[in-house]
Amino acid sequence: MVLPTLLSAPTPTSGEIKSVCVFCGAGDGGDPIYAQEAFELGKMLASNNIRMVYGGGSIGLMGAVAKGTIENGGKTLGIVPEPLFKHGSAQLGETVIVPDMHTRKKRMAEESDAFVVLPGGFGTMEEMLEMITWSQLNIHSKPILLLNTKGYYKLFVDWIQLSVQEQFIKTKNADIFVTCDTTKDVLNLLQTYQAPETRYGLDWTKKDEENRQSLI
């Protein structure tokens, strides 16, 4: 995992959330409810004048949430690595081409005030876990929400609880992310989110030795 050269940023207040990064699958999933909820999320973002930042593309849940935003008058920003762009997937809305996957995640984080995670596969999980890790390390303190459509993230939440039980994760650090069952809950949770105080108090402007001491 490559850590970004970002300074720790404060959690935005409710009035400051103007741009939300959405991580989600490029497939539709096995149940129409996944695409329906993705579209509703995009619609909700548009109706609240919140820009949607995502991985670009027009298919799967990525396409559904982008269409839900655009078709309801909202703005989107797709950030696509050049190899994927050359692969030929059609793009929706404004698109930025970046050289690689690491740059993509860094740019998505910089462009967003919060993160919402929809169902997806390996890529979605990797993006979500990196943002959770960056929060734990105090690179950012932005809201991270999991849209638990059809209980999709139940096993992940169970694994987090097991990790807490086995003392690999601090109890309060399990609250770095919050889950919600429907898009109706997303806006309220974005506005009320508070990053746990048990996160590592690292200052990314300090020297390495100072940060090592703060981990002890």
Side-chain angles (χ1 to χ4, degrees):
M1 179 179 68
V2 177
L3 293 175
T5 53
L6 297 174
L7 300 183
S8 177
T11 302
T13 64
S14 59
E16 294 175 331
I17 296 179
K18 300 296 184 183
S19 186
V20 168
C21 177
V22 178
F23 297 132
C24 58
D28 290 316
D31 190 321
I33 189 63
Y34 294 122
Q36 292 168 12
E37 285 289 284
F39 187 90
E40 286 300 314
L41 175 64
K43 183 178 178 180
M44 183 276 292
L45 294 175
S47 65
N48 286 277
N49 197 30
I50 299 173
R51 181 182 65 163
M52 195 270 286
V53 177
Y54 77 126
S58 58
I59 59 174
L61 300 194
M62 285 201 284
V65 70
K67 291 171 184 174
T69 304
I70 294 169
E71 291 177 13
N72 288 279
K75 295 181 180 179
T76 66
L77 176 64
I79 301 174
V80 187
E82 187 173 5
L84 289 179
F85 182 75
K86 289 181 177 179
H87 187 66
S89 176
Q91 307 300 312
L92 298 173
E94 181 182 355
T95 301
V96 173
I97 310 301
V98 295
D100 52 51
M101 296 291 283
H102 295 302
T103 306
R104 179 200 223 179
K105 283 180 290 186
K106 180 175 181 290
R107 181 68 180 271
M108 292 170 91
E110 291 172 339
E111 293 282 353
S112 305
D113 300 317
F115 306 94
V116 176
V117 186
L118 278 60
F122 290 133
T124 302
M125 291 294 291
E126 187 267 342
E127 290 165 334
M128 172 185 68
L129 285 169
E130 189 143 18
M131 291 305 109
I132 291 173
T133 302
W134 288 4
S135 179
Q136 179 174 257
L137 295 175
N138 202 38
I139 294 171
H140 75 82
S141 54
K142 300 173 183 179
I144 304 173
L145 274 60
L146 276 59
L147 186 54
N148 194 31
T149 305
K150 203 180 173 183
Y152 187 81
Y153 284 110
K154 180 184 182 301
L155 293 178
F156 174 72
V157 173
D158 289 346
W159 173 72
I160 295 295
Q161 294 304 318
L162 175 61
S163 297
V164 170
Q165 177 183 320
E166 297 299 328
Q167 301 180 31
F168 288 106
I169 295 175
K170 291 181 179 179
T171 301
K172 288 296 293 181
N173 279 359
D175 297 331
I176 287 174
F177 69 89
V178 294
T179 62
C180 54
D181 294 327
T182 69
T183 56
K184 295 178 181 178
D185 302 321
V186 170
L187 187 62
N188 179 61
L189 289 171
L190 285 175
Q191 294 173 338
T192 59
Y193 176 90
Q194 292 291 327
E197 296 179 355
T198 48
R199 294 152 58 249
Y200 295 127
L202 299 177
D203 182 344
W204 292 87
T205 64
K206 290 182 178 180
K207 296 179 181 179
D208 290 345
E209 181 58 31
E210 292 177 279
N211 277 329
R212 277 195 292 271
Q213 290 300 316
S214 69
L215 286 170
I216 297 175

